[in-house]
Amino acid sequence: MKRVRELELINQIREIREFEFGVFYFFKGGIVISEMHEGAHFNWKNAKKAVYAAQEIYDKDIPFIYIANRVNRYRVAPLEWFKYHKNRFDMQHIASVGPLRNNFFSTLLKKLIFPKRIQTFTDLEKAVDWALDISKKANK
C-alpha cells in the first residue's frame, strides 16, 4: 500500500502532526490523512488530539475530509465512534483505505453512526481524488 509521503499531493501539506499513536497530514482544502502506528489503540482520548489539531489548522468554514490510510494494523474501539457523534465532532466526509476484508466491520459500524458519509477504498490515490473533488466543490 502507498503511504502519504509517496503522493504527488505531498507539496500541498499545510502541517504534519505526529502523535504517540500515529501521524496526521493536514492538507490544503480541509483534507486530513492519518497513518496510525503499528499496534496502536486509537480511542476517543487520542482522537480528540487530532480533532483539536485540525480545528487549530483550518478555518471553521472548511469541512474536514478525513482519510484513514490503514498502512499498519491498529485497533479502534468500535463504540468510540459514538463519542465523535455525541461530542459534535461531525465529520461530513470519511474514507478508509486498505484491504476490504480488514475494513468491512469497521466501515459497517461507521455507516450506522455516520450514514451516507463513509467511503471505502483499496487505493490511496483514488481516495485522495475523491477528497480533492469534495474539497474543490466545497471551496468554490
Side-chain angles (χ1 to χ4, degrees):
M1 280 187 52
K2 213 172 229 187
R3 293 186 173 270
V4 171
R5 295 182 189 266
E6 298 172 40
L7 296 175
E8 289 182 27
L9 189 68
I10 196 75
N11 62 348
Q12 293 190 32
I13 290 178
R14 287 184 63 172
E15 195 167 322
I16 299 172
R17 297 270 179 110
E18 294 191 39
F19 301 101
E20 65 277 4
F21 50 88
V23 180
F24 283 71
Y25 300 88
F26 298 90
F27 291 85
K28 296 175 184 173
I31 300 170
V32 181
I33 303 176
S34 68
E35 290 181 348
M36 300 300 168
H37 297 314
E38 183 71 35
H41 181 74
F42 192 60
N43 56 27
W44 175 240
K45 179 182 170 187
N46 293 338
K48 283 194 296 188
K49 294 177 186 179
V51 170
Y52 292 147
Q55 290 174 335
E56 289 174 17
I57 295 166
Y58 297 118
D59 294 333
K60 291 179 182 179
D61 297 335
I62 295 177
F64 297 141
I65 305 163
Y66 176 66
I67 300 172
N69 190 27
R70 299 181 68 93
V71 293
N72 294 314
R73 296 183 91 179
Y74 63 93
R75 294 181 329 156
V76 177
L79 297 179
E80 296 293 292
W81 286 103
F82 288 106
K83 292 180 182 176
Y84 280 97
H85 191 67
K86 178 183 170 195
N87 288 282
R88 306 229 181 259
F89 290 118
D90 193 18
M91 293 179 281
Q92 294 294 313
H93 310 284
I94 305 168
S96 182
V97 179
L100 290 178
R101 68 184 183 282
N102 295 341
N103 277 339
F104 180 74
F105 290 110
S106 176
T107 301
L108 184 63
L109 180 62
K110 289 179 216 169
K111 283 188 177 194
L112 290 172
I113 301 166
F114 303 103
K116 299 181 183 178
R117 299 182 203 168
I118 307 292
Q119 297 292 322
T120 303
F121 297 92
T122 56
D123 179 81
L124 180 58
E125 288 180 335
K126 288 181 182 174
V128 168
D129 289 343
W130 165 82
L132 287 170
D133 186 50
I134 292 168
S135 179
K136 286 176 188 171
K137 288 177 184 174
N139 295 310
K140 281 187 177 182

